[in-house]
Structure formats: structure tokens, C-alpha cells
Amino acid sequence: VQLQASGGGLVQAGGSLRLSCAASGSFLTIGPMGWYRQPPEKPRELVAGITVDGRPNYEPSVNGRFTISRDNTKNMTYLQMNDLKPEDTAVYYCNARIRRTLSGGNFDYWGQGTQVTVSS
């Protein structure tokens, strides 16, 4: 199982970016999905999560600016980021809880990270 994230880049404050994350490989189901970020020299933090049936939750500082979504037919999740601020600068990682087999459990998988840099 692999998660492939894309869409990061350099943008000016107030701009927008859309991150995408695709799950591939052999698995049965994808449960909750989410986006995390890790600013320089800081711990990784949850930015937004989404349940299987599409209910989102957001870290307070991004609420109203970021929108998480998912397409279960394509095994993808997206993070639309608007009104970006310099403090949003970080490496962004996608995450998914995946069940590979009927007898196996659910495990968290991570994408490789994509850099988002917001200039002031």
C-alpha cells in the first residue's frame, strides 16, 4: 500500500493551493483519512481529518480557510487551502487508516510529504 501526495509549492500570502493524495496497492477498505503538517523544528500536527462518510474536522487555525474532501471511488483525499498564511509553511503529509485483509487489522499509512511554502 502506498500513499502518494502532490500539489505543494511556493505561494504568496493570501494565495491558494490544492493538495491531493492517492492510495494505491492491495487493500480492502480505507477508513478515516487526514492531512498533517510539520513546520520546521516543530512536531507534526493534525490539520484536517475526514471520516468515511465525509464528515470533516479541522485544526482551529485553518477552520474556514482549508477544506478537506475525499473521493472513495478513486481512493483519494484532497486539501483545498485558501487564504494561505506564512505560518502555514510546513511539510504536509496525508494519512489513511487502511485494512488490507479480512483477518488483519487497521493500520495507518503515510504519504511521503509535500512542501508548502507561503511567502509574506
Side-chain angles (χ1 to χ4, degrees), residues 8-57:
L10 173 63
V11 64
Q12 289 188 331
S16 298
L17 285 173
R18 187 188 193 219
L19 305 183
S20 300
C21 177
S24 62
S26 178
F27 52 86
L28 287 180
T29 58
I30 302 177
M33 305 181 82
W35 288 92
Y36 290 70
R37 67 186 178 188
Q38 187 165 17
E41 301 182 2
K42 292 186 177 181
R44 192 174 298 188
E45 63 178 2
L46 175 66
V47 175
I50 188 166
T51 63
V52 174
D53 58 355
R55 285 175 289 133
N57 65 278

Side-chain angles (χ1 to χ4, degrees), residues 2 58-59 79:
Q2 283 191 327
Y58 298 98
E59 195 273 329
L79 186 67

Side-chain angles (χ1 to χ4, degrees), residues 30-107:
I30 302 177
M33 305 181 82
W35 288 92
Y36 290 70
R37 67 186 178 188
Q38 187 165 17
E41 301 182 2
K42 292 186 177 181
R44 192 174 298 188
E45 63 178 2
L46 175 66
V47 175
I50 188 166
T51 63
V52 174
D53 58 355
R55 285 175 289 133
N57 65 278
Y58 298 98
E59 195 273 329
S61 71
V62 308
N63 203 14
R65 300 188 296 123
F66 291 10
T67 302
I68 188 171
S69 61
R70 64 189 288 168
D71 185 336
N72 293 333
T73 67
K74 297 181 180 179
N75 300 321
M76 295 191 69
T77 183
Y78 308 94
L79 186 67
Q80 177 66 43
M81 304 185 294
N82 298 328
D83 190 24
L84 281 161
K85 304 176 186 299
E87 51 264 40
D88 295 318
T89 294
V91 178
Y92 284 70
Y93 298 88
C94 60
N95 166 273
R97 184 156 297 172
I98 292 175
R99 176 181 289 270
R100 297 186 61 188
T101 64
L102 279 174
S103 60
N106 295 307
F107 295 94

